[in-house]
Amino acid sequence: MAVKKDSRTVEEAADAKIPDSPKEETQKRAERVTMVYIGPSLPAGWLKSNQVFTGTVTEIEKNLEAVLEKYPAARKLLVPAGQLADKKEKVRTPGNILNKYYADIVSGAAHERKV
C-alpha cells in the first residue's frame, strides 16, 4: 500500500485543525468579527492592502463578492485582526502558503493591468 506524503510545512500542519461541524461553522459566520486584508492592493481601488472590515464573515464576503470572484486567493488573505502580526509574517515568508496566495494575486493583478 502506497503512503501519501504530506507536502505541508511543519508550521502549516500545526496550523491545520479538525474542520468545524456545520453548526459550529454557521455560528462562527454569524459572529461579528474584524478582518484585515493582508494582500496587495488591487487595481482600480477594488481592495486596498491593510483594509479593515467589520461585520459577520458572511456580510464581509457578500460585500467583497465581485473581488473574491475575480481574485479567489484574496479570501485566504482576509485574516482576523487578532492574528494580524502572525499572518503578516507568514505572507512575507517564502514557501508559506499565504506567501503563495499573495504572489498569485500580484501575478493576476499584473496580468489585468496589461490587458
Side-chain angles (χ1 to χ4, degrees):
M1 170 163 45
V3 177
K4 183 178 178 184
K5 184 174 177 166
D6 190 352
S7 61
R8 297 180 295 179
T9 65
V10 173
E11 187 175 71
E12 290 168 343
D15 284 349
K17 62 178 187 167
I18 298 171
D20 294 326
S21 71
K23 183 178 179 180
E24 290 172 326
E25 183 65 26
T26 301
Q27 288 173 340
K28 282 184 180 180
R29 294 181 71 81
E31 293 175 7
R32 292 191 62 77
V33 294
T34 300
M35 305 285 281
V36 181
Y37 171 68
I38 60 171
S41 294
L42 299 177
W46 278 32
L47 193 55
K48 301 274 187 207
S49 186
N50 298 312
Q51 192 168 350
V52 178
F53 300 91
T54 56
T56 66
V57 173
T58 304
E59 291 169 344
I60 293 168
E61 288 179 350
K62 180 72 172 160
N63 186 37
L64 297 173
E65 189 172 21
V67 175
L68 297 178
E69 186 175 314
K70 190 164 188 96
Y71 300 96
R75 176 177 276 113
K76 302 292 187 177
L77 296 176
L78 280 168
V79 300
Q83 298 176 9
L84 185 59
D86 179 52
K87 299 296 184 182
K88 278 193 149 193
E89 182 63 32
K90 290 179 180 181
V91 163
R92 291 188 293 267
T93 306
N96 189 286
I97 191 69
L98 293 179
N99 180 267
K100 182 188 180 324
Y101 294 142
Y102 190 100
D104 289 349
I105 293 171
V106 168
S107 175
H111 176 69
E112 169 124 350
R113 286 184 180 117
K114 289 180 183 179
V115 175

